[in-house]
Amino acid sequence: MSEQKARTVVVTGAARGIGRAVALRFARAGANVVAADVEGLDDTEAAATELSGACLGVLADVRERAQVESMLATAEERFGPVGVLVCNAAVGFPDPFLEITPERWQDVVSVNLGGAFVSCQAALPAMIERGEGSIVIMSSIAGRRASVTNGAHYTCSKYALIGLTRHLAIELGGTGVRVNSVAPGPIETRLLTDHTSDDERARIAARMPLGRIGSPDDVAEVVFFVASPSARQIHGAVLDVNGGMH
């Protein structure tokens, strides 16, 4: 039996890309999944349910505490206590530094960093009370060096998410709750394809030691593992999924 079977898993930013792949991976293992996003989730919900998991799509803006609290309450009412939270919701734009407006800076930071802050703060009390839980925060290769395609606002937010992971790991010591970060390199998602040409993506792939741009499923497998009891000794770590790109 899968270690994730019957666990309640909440994934933010699950309408497409990495978030969708993560939701489907947990559903495939028989987990109960709440897939949350500001966009429509009918496709994710239907695909996950077909994979034998129970999946509920929930519209939620991670910048809004009331919506995040409602998302978590819905998950618990429908499936039981939330055992895994994957903070994946993110936005990014290829703005040159001198062209970033204060409004755009705030948009990116409030979703990428603020969304993880709000989601973790809302989910943690119940996890700590039960003495168990796993949180996975989605950073990026941008949090290790600089974004391949997005601007400084994106890079700074992804660095901050690694800091949040490491800080929470210290604070949560002894509570039974683990927190880790996953840092994908270039992945074939809309965040990449919207801002690059076929030729540009070919050049990116050529710079990667494995010779290819990753897929959302590549990242989902790592998220699935680090959230599982098999990774019980992994806490405060940053797992790179970047094809060897540094």
Side-chain angles (χ1 to χ4, degrees):
M1 180 180 292
S2 167
E3 293 174 325
Q4 301 290 8
K5 191 170 182 63
R7 298 186 87 185
T8 301
V9 179
V10 175
V11 184
T12 66
R16 55 186 172 85
I18 291 172
R20 182 178 186 274
V22 170
L24 297 185
R25 180 64 184 89
F26 278 100
R28 190 176 300 117
N32 299 316
V33 180
V34 169
D37 207 300
V38 293
E39 298 183 7
L41 287 145
D42 290 348
D43 179 61
T44 300
E45 187 175 13
T49 301
E50 287 178 8
L51 292 170
S52 80
C55 183
L56 176 66
V58 175
L59 293 175
D61 185 335
V62 294
R63 296 170 296 181
E64 301 294 333
R65 184 173 297 269
Q67 293 187 36
V68 170
E69 290 175 347
S70 176
M71 168 189 79
L72 293 167
T74 298
E76 183 159 357
E77 289 166 7
R78 179 72 173 266
F79 299 127
V82 176
V84 177
L85 170 66
V86 181
C87 298
N88 171 73
V91 295
F93 305 96
D95 303 320
F97 180 73
L98 293 178
E99 296 177 17
I100 297 174
T101 63
E103 294 76 18
R104 180 82 100 179
W105 180 277
Q106 184 60 32
D107 283 346
V108 173
V109 173
S110 64
V111 174
N112 298 3
L113 177 59
F117 163 72
V118 171
S119 298
C120 290
Q121 201 171 62
L124 275 170
M127 288 183 173
I128 292 170
E129 184 177 359
R130 295 195 316 275
E132 64 174 356
S134 181
I135 295 175
V136 182
I137 295 173
M138 195 65 64
S139 182
S140 167
I141 194 171
R144 293 295 213 178
R145 33 160 284 180
S147 176
V148 175
T149 55
N150 290 292
H153 34 22
Y154 183 87
T155 292
C156 290
S157 70
K158 293 298 185 175
Y159 266 90
L161 287 170
I162 290 177
L164 177 63
T165 299
R166 290 174 171 160
H167 186 93
L168 282 177
I170 295 170
E171 282 204 22
L172 295 174
T175 65
V177 180
R178 295 186 303 111
V179 58
N180 292 287
S181 181
V182 173
I187 301 295
E188 198 75 33
T189 67
R190 204 169 80 189
L191 200 59
L192 178 69
T193 58
D194 279 0
H195 303 315
T196 57
S197 66
D198 290 344
D199 287 345
E200 287 170 330
R201 289 194 295 281
R203 287 194 291 272
I204 291 171
R207 291 164 50 198
M208 302 176 71
L210 287 186
R212 70 176 182 89
I213 291 173
S215 73
D217 288 339
D218 294 329
V219 183
E221 289 294 342
V222 176
V223 173
F224 180 80
F225 165 71
V226 79
S228 77
S230 294
R232 58 188 174 274
Q233 192 62 12
I234 302 178
H235 182 52
V238 182
L239 287 79
D240 295 316
V241 190
N242 57 25
M245 189 178 198
H246 294 289

